[in-house]
Amino acid sequence: QVQLVESGGGLVQAGDSLRLSCAASGDTICISAMGWYRQAPGKERELVAAITSAGSTNDADSVKGRFTISRENTTTTMYLQMNSLKPQDTAVYYCKAGSFTVQAWCIILLTAYWGQGTQVTVSS
């Protein structure tokens, strides 16, 4: 089992910056890729940025140039630096981690774990 806890959300004005943190605990040794998702009221959850264990990153087009994802493997902590925030960035931001688990002999599953989310509200 992996537990994910997000922090760093809050209420800011347009143009401000926030840094979100995601701390993983539990059976974290097999965590592979991690990512940040967000979900606004009435909308589907969408990928914001992802990072692999090798450090490769991928950002959504809507946040490229503004958001930066990073990861500290030693502490299993992931960050999302958000600059030049816009009202449309308002959403609950979720941390996701993929972890390999042994289901049975010769069977390995990649399980997705989610945090509870942290609210980011950007006022104009």
Side-chain angles (χ1 to χ4, degrees), residues 12 17 19-20 32 37 44 46 48 51 54 60 63 68 72 76 81 83 85 91 95 103-105 112 114-115:
V12 298
S17 298
R19 190 179 79 158
L20 305 183
S32 182
Y37 290 72
E44 296 182 351
E46 63 176 349
V48 177
I51 186 169
V63 304
T68 302
E72 295 180 357
T76 319
Q81 179 66 47
N83 299 324
L85 283 164
C95 174
Q103 183 68 32
W105 290 110
W114 295 87

Side-chain angles (χ1 to χ4, degrees), residues 2-6 22-25 34 95-97 113-116:
V2 175
Q3 295 80 44
L4 303 173
V5 179
E6 303 95 338
C22 173
S25 61
M34 300 181 70
C95 174
K96 177 187 177 182
Y113 295 91
W114 295 87
Q116 293 181 335

Side-chain angles (χ1 to χ4, degrees), residues 4-87:
L4 303 173
V5 179
E6 303 95 338
S7 62
L11 174 62
V12 298
Q13 296 182 350
D16 287 351
S17 298
L18 281 175
R19 190 179 79 158
L20 305 183
S21 299
C22 173
S25 61
D27 298 330
T28 63
I29 190 171
C30 293
I31 289 179
S32 182
M34 300 181 70
W36 287 99
Y37 290 72
R38 67 185 181 186
Q39 186 170 23
K43 297 183 179 180
E44 296 182 351
R45 189 171 301 184
E46 63 176 349
L47 173 68
V48 177
I51 186 169
T52 68
S53 59
S56 299
T57 62
N58 184 44
D59 303 327
D61 291 338
S62 60
V63 304
K64 285 184 177 179
R66 299 188 298 119
F67 293 6
T68 302
I69 188 173
S70 61
R71 180 180 178 181
E72 295 180 357
N73 290 330
T74 56
T75 59
T76 319
T77 302
M78 181 177 62
Y79 304 96
L80 183 66
Q81 179 66 47
M82 304 185 295
N83 299 324
S84 302
L85 283 164
K86 304 175 181 179

Side-chain angles (χ1 to χ4, degrees), residues 101-122:
T101 59
V102 178
Q103 183 68 32
W105 290 110
C106 303
I107 299 177
I108 300 176
L109 300 178
L110 179 60
T111 303
Y113 295 91
W114 295 87
Q116 293 181 335
T118 183
Q119 177 70 49
V120 173
T121 303
V122 184

